[in-house]
Amino acid sequence: MVAPDAREHRAPPEARGERLDQYLSRAFPELTRSRIQGLIEAGHAQVDGKSAKVALRLKGGELLSLHVPAPVPAIPLAEELPITVLHEDKDLVVVDKAAGMVVHPGAGHASGTLVNALLHRVKDLSGVGGELRPGIVHRLDKDTTGCLVVAKHEKALVALQKAFKSRGVDKTYLALVHGVPKAAEARIETLYGRHPVNRQRFTGKVKEGKPAITVYRVLESFEGAALVEVDLLTGRTHQIRAHLCEAGHPLLGDALYGAGRKAKGKVAEQAQEVVGRQALHAWKLSFPHPRTGKTLHVEAPVPKDFTAALKVLRGK
């Protein structure tokens, strides 16, 4: 029997052959596809009154029902942790993520994450997009600083995720790298996937994978290092770190992709010690606001450790 608060939809004949999760994500665009997949797996979807699997192929004409439970408190606990807010309105919040802060709870990080801090600040965030990652639109690595946007409700989450997926977002980073690239500007475009040997790493040297595009410009050159501005045209995990490493210029302080790479010259070595982490900062973010459609521009100030490393490189 269909739940009283279920959403119903009759699949048209042209839906024949389409996966259940794909069709439901179009039928109910206010929900993300991952959210719909989770609901199906939890038994909240029915096809002609019977439970179904995510990959079920439709025949056309079926009565589809989807029960969306009321939001439940997120598993992470709210914690009063210091966070810097760059922009906030009734639909979203953009924070300046600090170095060393993990975005959401996971193995080894049950507390002290950005999600824990956000749950304390944004009282109605629980249940938006799932329990462990409420409102999270995109991620930054633990030691990467800068702009990160979080949705306050499901509709904003869907709109923002679509903007990121369709490359409707401009993401500009600052990075300090080993050595000085020969080209003042370059575009790195590869297939991208997990490294076949070291599963913690990713690589652009794969025969099959998702497309990844990174564009960088050299802003300043130093002895044994350079300051580069990076436009991230796709948002793959570790993309900037992996692409620049395979271009011969890993980030200063990157323990995973720059392991064993010694800075050339005392100045570069000192700068690497000063920054004490991978020298990557999500500097600028521009995206269409989920409610108004107008472009929102946000900029995160260059952090103190990054600035201190630049001073060393500039000899100041």
Side-chain angles (χ1 to χ4, degrees):
M1 185 174 178
V2 178
D5 55 347
R7 308 175 189 196
E8 289 191 343
H9 186 87
R10 179 72 66 177
E14 55 267 28
R16 183 179 181 85
E18 192 167 359
R19 280 173 50 127
L20 177 63
D21 61 327
Q22 291 176 325
Y23 185 78
L24 286 178
S25 66
R26 290 211 323 275
F28 305 114
E30 69 275 14
L31 299 172
T32 64
R33 185 173 170 186
S34 60
R35 175 79 157 145
I36 286 174
Q37 288 173 338
L39 291 171
I40 296 172
E41 291 169 353
H44 294 302
Q46 292 184 337
V47 177
D48 287 335
K50 298 179 181 179
S51 59
K53 295 184 178 180
V54 169
L56 173 75
R57 297 287 176 177
L58 297 175
K59 297 178 180 179
E62 298 97 328
L63 179 62
L64 312 178
S65 63
L66 185 67
H67 171 225
V68 183
V72 297
I75 291 176
L77 297 175
E79 297 180 54
E80 191 172 358
L81 302 170
I83 55 173
T84 300
V85 173
L86 301 171
H87 172 87
E88 183 172 12
D89 56 43
K90 59 185 177 182
D91 301 301
L92 59 92
V93 57
V94 184
V95 301
D96 183 359
K97 193 188 83 64
M101 177 173 268
V102 174
V103 172
H104 56 74
H109 300 284
S111 62
T113 72
L114 179 61
V115 163
N116 295 110
L118 287 167
L119 286 171
H120 178 268
R121 180 184 178 95
V122 185
K123 301 305 181 184
D124 55 350
L125 190 63
S126 297
V128 178
E131 294 180 344
L132 289 177
R133 305 176 185 182
I136 299 299
V137 179
H138 63 123
R139 292 180 294 172
L140 294 176
D141 294 336
K142 176 184 176 183
D143 289 325
T144 299
T145 55
C147 297
L148 189 143
V149 61
V150 179
K152 287 188 174 183
H153 53 80
E154 197 90 35
K155 189 174 182 180
L157 179 66
V158 171
L160 289 166
Q161 287 182 336
K162 285 182 178 178
F164 272 80
K165 190 174 182 179
S166 65
R167 302 183 190 177
V169 178
D170 292 330
K171 297 164 283 186
T172 302
Y173 290 68
L174 290 177
L176 292 174
V177 302
H178 285 274
V180 179
K182 292 181 180 179
E185 183 173 346
R187 178 186 176 99
I188 304 172
E189 186 168 358
T190 70
L191 292 178
Y192 195 82
R194 197 172 289 274
H195 196 282
V197 178
N198 187 340
R199 305 301 288 175
Q200 290 183 313
R201 295 178 57 159
F202 290 80
T203 177
K205 298 179 179 180
V206 291
K207 293 181 180 179
E208 296 181 355
K210 296 181 178 180
I213 307 172
T214 305
V215 176
Y216 72 83
R217 293 169 293 280
V218 178
L219 298 183
E220 289 187 65
S221 300
F222 312 103
E223 182 184 350
L227 170 66
V228 298
E229 181 181 272
V230 184
D231 289 335
L232 196 59
L233 302 189
T234 54
R236 311 302 175 201
T237 302
H238 297 179
Q239 182 180 317
I240 293 175
R241 298 166 65 189
H243 267 174
L244 290 181
C245 174
E246 292 174 349
H249 302 283
L251 303 180
L252 289 185
D254 192 334
L256 181 59
Y257 290 90
R261 177 69 179 261
K262 293 185 178 180
K264 294 183 178 179
K266 290 184 178 180
V267 173
E269 187 175 340
Q270 289 173 0
Q272 182 167 256
E273 291 177 358
V274 166
V275 73
R277 61 176 176 93
Q278 63 203 33
L280 186 62
H281 177 60
W283 185 27
K284 297 178 181 179
L285 191 64
S286 298
F287 57 91
H289 192 280
R291 184 180 297 271
T292 67
K294 294 182 179 179
T295 302
L296 181 64
H297 301 280
V298 188
E299 181 175 327
V302 181
K304 292 180 180 179
D305 58 357
F306 201 107
T307 301
L310 273 174
K311 286 183 178 179
V312 170
L313 291 169
R314 290 167 177 161
K316 295 182 179 179

